Amino acid sequence: MHRLRTTVVRLRPIAAPQTAKSQSQARLAAVGGALRTFQPMRSYTASVSAEPFLNGTSSNYVEEMYYAWLENPRSVHKSWDIFFRNANAGAPPGAAYQSPPPLGGAALGLANAQAMVGVQPNVEKLVEDHLAVQSLVRAYQVRGHHIAKLDPLDISVVDFDEAPVMVGLKKVEFYGLDESDLDKVFRLPTTTFIGGSESTLPLREIIQRLEMAYCQSIGVEFMFINDLEQCQWIRQKFERPGIMQFTLEEKRTLLARMVRSTRFEEFLQRKWSSEKRFGLEGCESLIPALKTIIDKSSMNGVESIIMGMPHRGRLNVLANVIRKELDQIFCQFDSKLEAADEGSGDVKYHLGMWHRRINRVTDRNITLSLMANPSHLEAVDPVVQGKTKAEQFYCGDTEGNRVMSILLHGDAAFAGQGVVYETFHLSDLPSYTTHGTIHVVVNNQIGFTTDPRVARSSSYPTDVAKVVNAPIFHVNADDPEAVMYVCNVAAEWRATFHKDVVVDLVCYRRNGHNEMDEPMFTQPLMYKQIKKQKGVLQKYAEKLIAEGAVTRQEYEEEIAKYDKICEEAHTRSKDEKILHIKHWLDSPWPVCVCFFKMDGQPKSMTSPSTGLTEEELGHIGHIASSVPVEDFTIHGGLSRILKGRAAMVGQRVCDWALGEYMAFGSLLKEGTHIRLSGQDVERGTFSHRHHVLHDQNVDKRICIPMNHIAPNQAPYTVCNSSLSEYGVLGFELGFAMASPNALVLWEAQFGDFHNTAQCIIDQFICPGQAKWVRQNGIVLLLPHGMEGMGPEHSSARPERFLQMCNEDPDAYPKFSAEEFAVRQLYDCNWIIVNCSTPANYFHVLRRQILQPFRKPLIVFTPKSLLRHPDAKSNFDDMLTGTHFQRLIPDSGPVCEKPDGVKRIVFCTGKVYYELTRERKNRGMDNTVAIARIEQLSPFPFDQVKVETDRYPNADLVWCQEEHKNQGYYDYVKPRLRTTVDRTRPVRYAGRGPAAAPATGNKAAHLVELQRFLDTAFNLDAFTGQS
Ligand SMILES: Cc1ncc(C[n+]2csc(CCOP(=O)(O)OP(=O)(O)O)c2C)c(N)n1
Ligand SMILES: [Mg+2]
């Protein structure tokens, strides 16, 4: 149906043929502008939609005829000329087509036809034959890849559920043609380029040319793409006669690259035969493939390429694509090397790399970075995208002409991992697009020990890419020239259309999963075949020698030359005594940012005040409560919210949203870019933020007041994301990696949703610096709190984050009082806070940028506190000289007679307000002190000690609203005990242990709340307990 609609639409005259580029640019311009209006790409008004003979099959043919007719009415058969002229003249449905006049009689409806073009003789047979040829051409274009010779082992059993492919000289009957037609000459439809400069060909030749284009070493999957221009572009890239011809120079370069790729693995195998390296054997053409993409992209103006890849062939890519010094790679095999940098490091096939060099083919500078990644396959995909986006953003590359990404995948992982799909779905979103990624799949037809037939339900491992209309080029990796050709086309595709594209290198895995693995246990027949398989280098060298492109001697010299390079590097590597993980950094921060001193240390170890002047607070408050553009009508409810904000500014107080505004606004004014991303962040899940205002009268007209703070401010990006956590958090982490001078925040819709991004948290955010010596200041905003909303939406699982802190609970840190806070921060793997006031939230966000290093920050953010009348902060708490408070001591009546205080209740977050209300109700303001631990990790041992010393006669209680096996208790208890040197026990007031985070019953929720409040204020509750 869709095709028919499209065809029908296109049966309207077009003023000028639009190029694909101009179409996609128009779309991007529309989405990138302030209005963010998505222009409809097509309109559907043609009267010919009701033509009785237009159906799904013939519509394609008609479409082609129409285009040809537009260009030259004489290029189509007279009957079509008449039809199109009549259709354009507005003929009613059914009348544009003129059948031959009945014998001896006047045609019905003659009066109607008077204004139309004269009637023609019967053309049915002619149309039928041409339709047949058209169908045949189309069959090759759609399904030629089913019979292309893609598998070097020739054992592939790709399961195509549909009917067998009806192509070839022997199957013309299927189309209503017969053998006698093979030598008839047919006019070629305009949707094929097999004719070259000829517009007609004999059927036999048509078939042979289609076989050459679609059924050799390349299988092209593209006919699902909804854009005619893009389809035409691909057709001409693969159908034009003579496209697969290479110069002598190109062939020799290709051979040299194959030599490097192959001999590198052989060298490693010779020297370290018992080491795991996840070699590339069986897919050696990956190296020339990547190099071709890089050469071509550099030719098209790309200056920086960010790559992500799994284990397979990674060392080879580092050596021969990124050009990491070989001795640096070889010394990684020496287990006795001492690490020079702090951190625990990572295995060699996970480390990243950054390198700027001259591209020999284009003579231009190019920066290549391979991102470090965890074992978790595909997890790095969104991270690469985020970093690419950030680099594009910082250099003003709005179309991705200068910075691009390449992602490599294994066949099993590409099909199996959901994050691949999530990443594809970011690829065309305005705030997440990187303007096209080139995906290269090392499709060795196996995943560890598992066959594709039990590993995926799709025919190809690449089917997931169809979701974004990315063309897929399958290629037999044993045909290096075909590989080079598709890689060139892929790079051109990206440069032309700025859309994703996939190169599927169909290959095999010569060894087991790693070099120690026995593949015959599980794939005996496949491996019998592999053992017989001649190496691709040998095959290609023999081909070139036979062609006379190189001599055997030249080939052998090339091998000897590279072997010598490896040997020399190996000798040098033995001199390496120290392993510098820093040399494997994938994202060094730009020198101009000057964030660190030359030796990589922070410039100072002090955190300046994070407060602002009264004037700044007033100004940002004003922006937050106004609409800074003319003639913009906002919703009445929002007017009230803004008025409320203005009133707060008048009274010098902030609620949560205004506190956040103050932090963002001031950082932007000071030149720090801010990017806030996540589901519904623009308005805020709880309708408190409203950073994007919507004109109530003009569709999609928006205003972002935060971008109106000051003339030279940094830009503010706030973007509702796709409904993904894994993909989007990974993306933001990558964005934050690119520069220390940006506050990048990801907000979960509710805190518990972060667990679908657990891999990014566990594998990147928590241990990133320890594994890969790279700092990252990403902020996670996780709405958290027990509000009686049921087991979901309540807990952001603080216990999990706290459990992963690298701090020793049993050791009181030995830092001087002045440096205590900042040293703790410097040493930690991440910072975890649960702020109880807007002012403290404001300070911790500003501290994130003003502190002299970068650490991830996890913020448990409130829900009910967003509108709680007591959860407001006075401007006084945000003025110059004020700081983030790691602990907020009790400042009430207990301070007057601390000796008389019987209990000190430590808590964090929202429960504080429940505790103070209960204390007041019970008249215990003099006997129970309440201290808020705002920064949970690093634990403020020093400030907790001040509190425990202040109330020497008080027992210590930890109170939390979460269940006992959740929340903070297990984390806080040993630390509190360390603080008091185990002189006083730590008691617990909170919900009992439970499997679910909260009850689904509101009444039960309230009973539980009252019960633990009773415990917290019952001074005898713990009597008799040891
Ligand atoms: C998310 C994840 N699950 C499981 C593994 C364990 N694992 C490592 S390699 C591998 C097979 C990968 O197959 P494929 O993607 O085809 O790559 P190949 O090794 O064949 O190059 C598996 C299952 C992993 N590393 N990551
Ligand atoms: Mg595989």
Side-chain angles (χ1 to χ4, degrees):
M1 273 316 288
H2 174 77
R3 250 204 103 90
L4 173 60
R5 267 205 329 269
T6 315
T7 303
V8 165
V9 168
R10 286 174 175 163
L11 286 173
R12 296 167 60 236
I14 44 176
Q18 256 188 314
T19 63
K21 197 168 176 190
S22 68
Q23 277 190 7
S24 58
Q25 275 170 351
R27 181 160 181 230
L28 275 177
V31 299
L35 286 181
R36 302 194 315 180
T37 306
F38 289 87
Q39 303 294 347
M41 304 247 328
R42 298 170 180 138
S43 54
Y44 299 85
T45 56
S47 63
V48 289
S49 58
E51 288 298 345
F53 67 93
L54 270 183
N55 59 44
T57 327
S58 61
S59 59
N60 235 323
Y61 179 64
V62 177
E63 179 181 337
E64 282 152 22
M65 288 295 163
Y66 180 66
Y67 272 108
W69 177 79
L70 278 177
E71 268 172 34
N72 175 10
R74 265 186 263 155
S75 69
V76 301
H77 191 272
K78 191 72 190 158
S79 59
W80 284 113
D81 180 27
I82 295 167
F83 170 73
F84 291 131
R85 277 203 272 159
N86 288 341
N88 270 353
Y97 173 71
Q98 292 296 298
S99 42
L103 280 176
L108 277 177
L110 189 64
N112 265 355
Q114 292 283 294
M116 298 176 198
V117 187
V119 167
Q120 289 295 308
N122 191 342
V123 292
E124 234 168 72
K125 170 72 178 131
L126 201 62
V127 169
E128 260 173 24
D129 283 356
H130 274 82
L131 272 174
V133 172
Q134 147 74 20
S135 299
L136 186 65
V137 171
R138 190 176 155 77
Y140 275 100
Q141 292 170 337
V142 175
R143 295 168 65 195
H145 57 91
H146 290 197
I147 48 173
K149 302 171 190 78
L150 300 178
D151 179 10
L153 301 177
D154 207 17
I155 56 168
S156 163
V157 278
V158 173
D159 177 19
F160 297 107
D161 294 335
E162 318 94 303
V165 190
M166 292 307 211
V167 293
L169 292 170
K170 302 248 169 341
K171 297 202 179 129
V172 289
E173 291 83 20
F174 181 76
Y175 300 90
L177 300 163
D178 57 44
E179 261 196 74
S180 67
D181 290 320
L182 285 174
D183 294 313
K184 272 194 203 149
V185 172
F186 285 86
R187 178 175 290 280
L188 294 168
T190 52
T191 48
T192 187
F193 295 85
I194 52 169
S197 56
E198 293 158 284
S199 57
T200 56
L201 283 178
L203 180 55
R204 187 184 303 282
E205 182 66 15
I206 290 176
I207 292 174
Q208 270 155 8
R209 291 194 187 188
L210 288 165
E211 295 268 330
M212 284 308 291
Y214 291 112
C215 307
Q216 304 305 307
S217 296
I218 299 172
V220 195
E221 255 193 300
F222 70 106
M223 288 293 279
F224 54 85
I225 295 175
N226 296 326
D227 185 307
L228 181 77
E229 300 286 342
Q230 292 174 4
C231 286
Q232 288 291 73
W233 189 92
I234 293 174
R235 286 174 189 138
Q236 54 106 5
K237 288 290 172 201
F238 289 95
E239 293 181 356
R240 260 187 299 122
I243 42 149
M244 288 273 283
Q245 277 160 14
F246 301 96
T247 63
L248 194 61
E249 183 66 19
E250 284 169 332
K251 289 184 181 185
R252 292 167 73 101
T253 303
L254 179 53
L255 181 70
R257 288 174 171 178
M258 290 298 300
V259 165
R260 284 176 170 257
S261 169
T262 310
R263 300 301 288 191
F264 177 80
E265 298 294 352
E266 287 180 14
F267 185 81
L268 295 186
Q269 183 59 29
R270 268 203 311 279
K271 297 286 177 199
W272 296 280
S273 56
S274 56
E275 278 273 341
K276 274 194 215 169
R277 63 190 154 82
F278 297 101
L280 198 50
E281 292 94 334
C283 193
E284 287 89 344
S285 42
L286 174 69
I287 300 300
L290 294 175
K291 291 184 83 89
T292 304
I293 292 170
I294 293 166
D295 293 346
K296 190 79 183 180
S297 302
S298 164
M299 226 174 272
N300 287 326
V302 169
E303 296 156 13
S304 174
I305 298 184
I306 296 137
M307 293 168 51
M309 73 173 293
H311 50 285
R312 179 86 45 223
R314 196 176 171 105
L315 296 177
N316 209 326
V317 169
L318 281 170
N320 288 317
V321 178
I322 313 272
R323 288 304 184 89
K324 174 95 186 154
E325 301 82 357
L326 287 178
D327 42 332
Q328 288 297 315
I329 296 178
F330 296 157
C331 74
Q332 289 276 319
F333 286 88
D334 181 353
S335 57
K336 292 192 287 297
L337 275 190
E338 246 178 70
D341 313 284
E342 287 170 15
S344 45
D346 203 345
V347 293
K348 50 191 167 292
Y349 41 80
H350 287 164
L351 293 173
M353 181 61 203
W354 182 95
H355 199 194
R356 176 171 295 138
R357 66 188 183 89
I358 295 276
N359 179 287
R360 295 223 187 109
V361 174
T362 60
D363 224 11
R364 294 182 185 172
N365 253 322
I366 187 137
T367 303
L368 300 173
S369 44
L370 176 65
M371 305 286 282
N373 58 245
S375 182
H376 294 56
L377 294 166
E378 307 291 348
V380 82
D381 297 0
V383 185
V384 168
Q385 295 307 304
K387 178 155 148 63
T388 308
K389 182 77 184 173
E391 285 203 8
Q392 289 174 347
F393 177 82
Y394 293 124
C395 72
D397 180 16
T398 52
E399 290 182 2
N401 292 324
R402 294 167 59 194
V403 183
M404 66 172 269
S405 58
I406 302 177
L407 286 179
L408 277 73
H409 314 268
D411 54 323
F414 198 47
Q417 289 292 302
V419 70
V420 173
Y421 180 86
E422 292 187 29
T423 308
F424 268 119
H425 264 293
L426 297 177
S427 70
D428 212 11
L429 304 181
S431 297
Y432 302 85
T433 179
T434 53
H435 309 283
T437 296
I438 301 182
H439 300 263
V440 180
V441 182
V442 173
N443 180 0
N444 53 21
Q445 312 182 65
I446 191 164
F448 207 154
T449 66
T450 303
D451 289 335
R453 71 196 154 83
V454 291
R456 60 171 195 261
S457 296
S458 60
S459 305
Y460 291 112
T462 50
D463 284 9
V464 60
K466 290 185 182 172
V467 76
V468 293
N469 273 309
I472 299 161
F473 306 143
H474 307 281
V475 57
N476 185 325
D478 263 14
D479 183 344
E481 289 180 3
V483 169
M484 185 159 92
Y485 187 75
V486 295
C487 288
N488 261 317
V489 177
E492 269 184 61
W493 164 274
R494 196 238 166 225
T496 309
F497 298 107
H498 292 283
K499 284 182 52 139
D500 284 28
V501 51
V502 179
V503 173
D504 178 24
L505 295 176
V506 187
C507 57
Y508 58 94
R509 192 187 69 192
R510 186 167 287 281
N511 300 317
H513 175 57
N514 61 55
E515 291 63 32
M516 308 293 101
D517 232 29
E518 174 52 83
M520 295 289 279
F521 285 144
T522 48
Q523 273 76 23
L525 296 187
M526 182 187 208
Y527 273 82
K528 272 183 198 156
Q529 178 61 34
I530 288 174
K531 278 182 187 150
K532 283 191 244 153
Q533 191 83 3
K534 207 186 259 185
V536 56
L537 170 63
Q538 196 188 341
K539 282 202 275 186
Y540 190 53
E542 281 167 10
K543 176 176 180 281
L544 291 199
I545 291 166
E547 278 176 16
V550 285
T551 63
R552 184 163 294 282
Q553 190 188 345
E554 283 169 326
Y555 167 54
E556 280 163 6
E557 278 169 11
E558 189 68 36
I559 288 181
K561 193 171 91 188
Y562 187 64
D563 284 357
K564 186 157 171 264
I565 291 173
C566 289
E567 281 298 348
E568 286 170 1
H570 182 229
T571 311
R572 279 197 309 279
S573 77
K574 290 183 186 154
D575 300 336
E576 291 288 337
K577 297 278 175 283
I578 292 178
L579 172 64
H580 295 275
I581 302 176
K582 280 206 174 101
H583 292 172
W584 295 79
L585 198 55
D586 55 16
S587 308
W589 283 334
V591 182
C592 58
V593 176
C594 295
F595 188 69
F596 295 121
K597 289 194 292 194
M598 288 303 278
D599 60 3
Q601 291 301 308
K603 284 192 169 158
S604 78
M605 278 301 273
T606 52
S607 264
S609 162
T610 40
L612 298 176
T613 64
E614 183 85 35
E615 198 191 344
E616 284 169 317
L617 290 170
H619 173 65
I620 299 165
H622 169 68
I623 299 286
S625 40
S626 57
V627 184
V629 292
E630 302 279 306
D631 296 329
F632 197 99
T633 312
I634 58 169
H635 188 270
L638 186 55
S639 291
R640 280 193 295 283
I641 292 174
L642 297 192
K643 270 197 198 121
R645 280 186 190 166
M648 279 193 283
V649 175
Q651 294 155 13
R652 301 182 67 251
V653 292
C654 273
D655 66 1
W656 198 268
L658 197 50
E660 184 180 82
Y661 226 107
M662 298 293 186
F664 285 12
S666 55
L667 288 170
L668 290 166
K669 187 160 163 277
E670 290 157 19
T672 301
H673 168 53
I674 299 184
R675 180 180 163 94
L676 171 62
S677 142
Q679 293 147 27
D680 306 293
V681 293
E682 296 178 6
R683 188 200 74 172
T685 298
F686 312 104
S687 200
H688 67 296
R689 183 174 285 130
H690 296 286
H691 283 187
V692 178
L693 312 181
H694 293 259
D695 195 317
Q696 299 293 302
N697 299 326
V698 184
D699 188 32
K700 301 192 178 64
R701 183 175 177 220
I702 57 159
C703 166
I704 302 176
M706 200 76 86
N707 275 324
H708 295 257
I709 303 268
N712 296 322
Q713 70 169 87
Y716 176 51
T717 306
V718 54
C719 39
N720 288 349
S721 73
S722 70
L723 211 167
S724 138
E725 285 83 25
Y726 192 174
V728 175
L729 178 57
F731 187 98
E732 301 312 334
L733 181 85
F735 199 103
M737 220 171 257
S739 166
N741 198 25
L743 183 69
V744 181
L745 309 97
W746 174 75
E747 183 173 71
Q749 184 114 70
F750 285 92
D752 47 359
F753 293 122
H754 81 255
N755 59 12
T756 63
Q758 199 67 51
C759 176
I760 299 293
I761 295 166
D762 289 354
Q763 262 55 45
F764 290 87
I765 300 181
C766 171
Q769 189 179 349
K771 294 200 289 194
W772 305 317
V773 290
R774 98 187 146 196
Q775 297 192 8
N776 194 305
I778 181 124
V779 180
L780 270 60
L781 302 179
L782 305 178
H784 169 84
M786 321 282 275
E787 316 281 5
M789 289 169 73
E792 263 57 72
H793 300 176
S794 290
S795 178
R797 297 295 193 174
E799 64 276 10
R800 296 213 185 126
F801 290 92
L802 292 170
Q803 191 222 4
M804 288 195 282
C805 293
N806 64 355
E807 182 185 72
D808 185 347
D810 303 322
Y812 192 98
K814 294 191 182 71
F815 298 129
S816 68
E818 309 78 61
E819 285 199 336
F820 196 97
V822 73
R823 281 274 157 206
Q824 265 195 314
L825 290 173
Y826 184 69
D827 283 354
C828 75
N829 60 326
W830 56 16
I831 304 164
I832 300 177
V833 301
N834 187 349
C835 303
S836 64
T837 70
N840 231 15
Y841 177 50
F842 155 85
H843 282 296
V844 82
L845 290 177
R846 285 183 50 76
R847 186 182 76 173
Q848 191 65 359
I849 290 299
L850 296 182
Q851 69 194 0
F853 40 77
R854 293 290 172 261
K855 298 281 170 175
L857 170 66
I858 318 296
V859 188
F860 298 113
T861 57
K863 292 173 285 178
S864 57
L865 292 196
L866 299 176
R867 296 186 173 79
H868 196 294
D870 297 341
K872 292 210 171 106
S873 294
N874 196 287
F875 277 13
D876 290 345
D877 295 332
M878 301 159 83
L879 288 174
T880 317
T882 55
H883 280 90
F884 172 69
Q885 289 182 275
R886 291 176 290 142
L887 178 147
I888 305 183
D890 200 324
S891 55
V894 284
C895 301
E896 286 157 28
K897 274 202 193 139
D899 287 354
V901 171
K902 299 274 182 293
R903 172 167 294 173
I904 172 165
V905 178
F906 287 97
C907 66
T908 190
K910 162 201 156 233
V911 75
Y912 167 77
Y913 294 94
E914 272 137 9
L915 284 166
T916 45
R917 195 193 60 216
E918 185 70 17
R919 179 174 67 175
K920 198 169 179 72
N921 289 346
R922 289 172 182 251
M924 295 178 81
D925 285 0
N926 294 312
T927 43
V928 177
I930 303 174
R932 287 170 270 177
I933 297 184
E934 304 273 305
Q935 177 177 292
L936 290 146
S937 179
F939 192 72
F941 286 98
D942 53 339
Q943 296 187 336
V944 172
K945 182 159 168 42
V946 171
E947 294 311 298
T948 51
D949 288 351
R950 192 198 308 270
Y951 307 108
N953 303 319
D955 61 4
L956 309 181
V957 172
W958 173 256
C959 178
Q960 65 178 31
E961 56 176 357
E962 296 80 2
H963 287 281
K964 192 171 185 178
N965 56 331
Q966 302 165 25
Y968 324 87
Y969 177 56
D970 285 340
Y971 170 87
V972 170
K973 185 176 176 180
R975 286 167 175 80
L976 273 179
R977 297 203 66 209
T978 300
T979 310
V980 295
D981 214 6
R982 293 171 186 77
T983 52
R984 282 184 262 178
V986 176
R987 309 298 188 186
Y988 174 74
R991 290 180 163 88
T999 169
N1001 180 312
K1002 182 91 185 180
H1005 165 79
L1006 293 173
V1007 169
E1008 288 170 0
L1009 172 64
Q1010 194 52 52
R1011 201 174 288 153
F1012 80 71
L1013 289 175
D1014 288 346
T1015 310
F1017 291 102
N1018 175 0
L1019 297 178
D1020 297 324
F1022 306 106
T1023 314
Q1025 285 186 14
S1026 58

